[in-house]
Amino acid sequence: MNALLRPGAMLAAGFLILLAVSALLAPWLLSASPWEMLARPLIPPFSDASHWLGTDMLGRDIATGLLYGARTSLTVGLLATLATLLPALLIGATAGYFGGWIDELLMRVAECFQIIPQLVLAVVLVALMEPSVGSVVLALALVAWPPVARLVRSEFQSLRQREFVQAALVLGQTPSRIAFTQILPNALSPLLVSLTFILAAAILTEAALAFLGLGDPEAMSWGYMINASRNLLREAPSMSLLPGVAILLTVLSVQRVGEALREAVQATGSQGGRP
């Protein structure tokens, strides 16, 4: 657990908690909509107390856009991570527990998804559907599940040989009960670590889709903010820089927390933390 108490990990976790709370409370913290034109266009940052991060080319408040963009990025990232978990668990657990031709078939299906670059596949899937939060979440889940399923498969293959699983077999427990009451709880630690990196990738991919114009047109997004200001890089570089920094800090913080979790899991495993 020492890895989780390191200053870097604690700072990253604190930033994510503060960002999540601020994004959750954005409608109460801010009186205006992120789409509302509040002042003259292109107010520089820190030059107006009412709009301390400035305004964009339409006079919309950039700070408001950043907070609502955090709502979109974190919501899509979390929903995509949860949506990734279900097929990954079912496919990985089935392949790892039963093995044989079932394992071969399911892993070949996973390879079909992994052949195509994730962003390309996500762009194609969202383009085929109507751009919305739901379609983006579905696309992200479909491109992200194969590596998680492989991890679950590996854990199940290792754990099914343990004595407690053999004892459950002798007692006559069904394969589904053994898989989800005996094996799965012992596979959760590395799975949770993997999901933090899936979350980081989902936030990045959502921003990329929004930048390409494939995000939800009714939801403010960091990627949309960068796309909208790309023609004003010389006149107002802060319009692109601020959402870009927000994406960078969020993804780095998620990955830092994930690294700390991975180190903690490895330390626990080396000390015989598993049954």
Side-chain angles (χ1 to χ4, degrees):
M1 297 294 293
N2 289 336
L4 297 175
L5 299 178
R6 291 177 182 172
M10 295 183 67
L11 183 62
F15 171 78
L16 291 176
I17 293 172
L18 177 61
L19 182 67
V21 171
S22 300
L24 183 64
L25 299 178
W28 293 273
L29 294 175
L30 304 165
S31 58
S33 162
W35 306 102
E36 188 175 347
M37 302 175 191
L38 301 173
R40 64 181 177 84
L42 302 180
I43 296 177
F46 311 115
S47 62
D48 187 334
S50 301
H51 310 284
W52 59 286
L53 288 182
T55 58
D56 64 6
M57 62 284 185
L58 296 178
R60 298 173 298 195
D61 185 66
I62 292 178
T64 303
L66 289 176
L67 273 188
Y68 275 88
R71 283 171 65 90
T72 301
S73 293
L74 293 178
T75 299
V76 170
L78 290 172
L79 289 177
T81 302
L82 293 176
T84 299
L85 184 59
L86 180 59
L89 272 179
L90 291 176
I91 294 173
T94 303
Y97 186 84
F98 292 102
W101 67 268
I102 297 177
D103 180 24
E104 288 292 327
L105 175 63
L106 293 177
M107 289 303 100
R108 296 298 81 78
V109 173
E111 287 175 359
C112 291
F113 281 86
Q114 287 186 295
I115 290 173
I116 307 174
Q118 289 192 358
L119 180 59
V120 174
L121 182 56
V123 167
V124 172
L125 291 173
V126 175
L128 291 175
M129 300 179 283
E130 182 180 355
S132 65
V133 170
S135 63
V136 171
V137 168
L138 178 60
L140 294 178
L142 288 175
V143 302
W145 71 264
V148 182
R150 287 185 173 277
L151 174 64
V152 174
R153 167 183 174 263
S154 175
E155 290 293 319
F156 269 65
Q157 284 180 332
S158 172
L159 291 168
R160 71 179 180 179
Q161 307 299 330
R162 298 292 183 89
E163 292 81 359
F164 65 93
V165 175
Q166 301 304 316
L169 284 171
V170 172
L171 292 174
Q173 293 186 11
T174 61
S176 60
R177 183 176 179 184
I178 293 173
F180 290 100
T181 64
Q182 301 291 337
I183 300 178
L184 181 58
N186 291 284
L188 283 180
S189 295
L191 180 59
L192 290 175
V193 173
S194 175
L195 290 178
T196 59
F197 297 105
I198 295 296
L199 173 59
I203 292 173
L204 273 177
T205 307
E206 184 277 329
L209 291 173
F211 177 81
L212 295 172
L214 295 174
D216 189 336
E218 297 182 1
M220 179 61 72
S221 169
W222 290 333
Y224 166 81
M225 294 177 70
I226 297 174
N227 177 45
S229 59
R230 69 186 188 279
N231 294 325
L232 297 171
L233 287 176
R234 292 185 178 179
E235 295 86 351
S238 62
M239 287 175 55
S240 296
L241 179 63
L242 291 172
V245 170
I247 295 171
L248 176 65
L249 291 178
T250 303
V251 171
L252 286 179
S253 296
V254 173
Q255 290 185 333
R256 185 66 191 90
V257 171
E259 286 287 343
L261 284 173
R262 181 180 58 80
E263 293 174 10
V265 169
Q266 289 178 344
T268 302
S270 66
Q271 295 171 6
R274 288 189 181 182

